[in-house]
Amino acid sequence: MRTLPSHARTIALAVGLLALASPARAQSPGFSTMAPLPWPPVATFSILGYDPATGEVGGAVQSRVFSVGNGVLWAEAGVGAAATQAIVDVSYGPQAIALLRQGVKPADVVKRVRQADPDPRPVDWTKEGRQFAVIDAQGNVAAYTGPKATEWAGDKQGKFCTAQGNILANAEVVNSMVSAFESTTGHLSLRLMAALEAGQMAGGDKRGMQSAAMLIVKKDGGVWLHNDVVLRLQVDDSPEPIKELRRLVDKAATMRKPR
């Protein structure tokens, strides 16, 4: 076997090490000179509603994201509900419930939570893109859509309800949701469900559908003892999440006892 001179072996070894190290260096985030890309926007539309006949309050949501029910909807019996979406800061939900519990009105809740937001990631997750809605246990509502929420984005208030969404087909989505909620009769779950369906019929989420959820609360309104959850439904991953949520809502209706 032919042996390379010592200086040639040294050069060959150095070249080999560089060849091995270069791909790792190129892939290592520590060596990147580019700023991280923004998180992909999450398209969502939701409705918050209140039923003065029963005292139930809650909301429903649909989104092109996996398991939307894990972050958007927040509610407490006798207190109210909130929806936090678009450029989401999930802490808006618990903050809203805490302020409502203190008797703060929804409009002031929205204002105070937004003002207290330190905007920790203004470059790629700015507070100016957040969307936030609140309803109290008397049906008073307020909402905010940031100027940097991905279009179309907006909100619409109605009697005992507020609808909001981002990356939607057009403004008719939220308008249709409010109209459907106000014109539908029956249990709050049926009215919230009708609103979601109307929003989708009006064009819905421009990116499509993936998950949906519904949350309704009332003091001691659920099954079993000391249960305030009237209904908590989640469709985490489905090509037709609204249709599946409708199936669950209708199933729940057959099991509900008159009060």
Side-chain angles (χ1 to χ4, degrees):
M1 179 182 294
R2 183 178 178 183
T3 303
L4 290 172
S6 61
H7 69 279
R9 290 200 303 271
T10 301
I11 293 171
L13 178 61
V15 170
L17 289 173
L18 283 171
L20 290 172
S22 294
R25 176 171 178 144
Q27 294 171 14
S28 172
F31 290 95
S32 174
T33 58
M34 296 178 62
L37 293 174
W39 288 20
V42 175
T44 305
F45 58 92
S46 68
I47 177 95
L48 298 179
Y50 167 73
D51 185 347
T54 64
E56 293 170 330
V57 65
V61 60
Q62 192 281 149
S63 183
R64 182 63 175 88
V65 66
F66 178 77
S67 195
V68 68
N70 283 331
V72 171
L73 298 177
W74 302 81
E76 183 174 314
V79 174
T84 175
Q85 56 197 56
I87 307 299
V88 180
D89 181 338
V90 174
S91 75
Y92 275 36
Q95 289 183 69
I97 298 301
L99 289 171
L100 288 173
R101 199 182 297 125
Q102 297 171 24
V104 180
K105 298 298 183 184
D108 291 327
V109 170
V110 170
K111 181 179 180 180
R112 287 169 61 170
V113 172
R114 286 194 59 252
Q115 288 180 339
D117 187 341
D119 204 7
R121 292 174 54 176
V123 174
D124 66 342
W125 208 245
T126 173
K127 67 184 285 184
E128 297 305 319
R130 308 207 207 289
Q131 197 167 46
F132 182 37
V134 178
I135 187 169
D136 67 16
Q138 291 75 47
N140 301 303
V141 298
Y144 169 80
T145 297
K148 293 187 178 181
T150 308
E151 295 184 345
W152 188 90
D155 53 83
K156 171 80 171 179
Q157 289 66 56
K159 186 175 182 181
F160 302 135
C161 70
T162 175
Q164 43 284 322
N166 58 92
I167 317 186
L168 302 182
N170 48 57
E172 191 56 28
V173 175
V174 292
N175 293 337
S176 296
M177 292 173 74
V178 169
S179 295
F181 181 88
E182 292 180 334
S183 62
T184 302
T185 59
H187 190 259
L188 181 59
S189 63
L190 302 177
R191 302 178 69 192
L192 295 172
M193 192 69 240
L196 279 193
E197 291 169 334
Q200 186 58 37
M201 286 289 292
D205 183 334
K206 287 195 295 188
R207 298 197 316 166
M209 299 182 285
Q210 186 169 2
S211 64
M214 183 179 294
L215 175 61
I216 297 174
V217 297
K218 177 186 177 181
K219 193 66 177 175
D220 293 326
V223 297
W224 308 306
L225 187 63
H226 297 147
N227 181 16
D228 294 343
V229 179
V230 176
L231 209 57
R232 187 195 302 274
L233 302 174
Q234 288 196 196
V235 179
D236 290 331
D237 185 32
S238 170
E240 296 284 355
I242 293 179
K243 287 184 179 179
E244 177 60 11
L245 188 63
R246 162 60 76 177
R247 185 186 71 81
L248 296 174
V249 166
D250 289 345
K251 179 69 174 179
T254 66
M255 305 172 71
R256 188 176 301 113
K257 295 180 179 179
R259 293 185 178 274

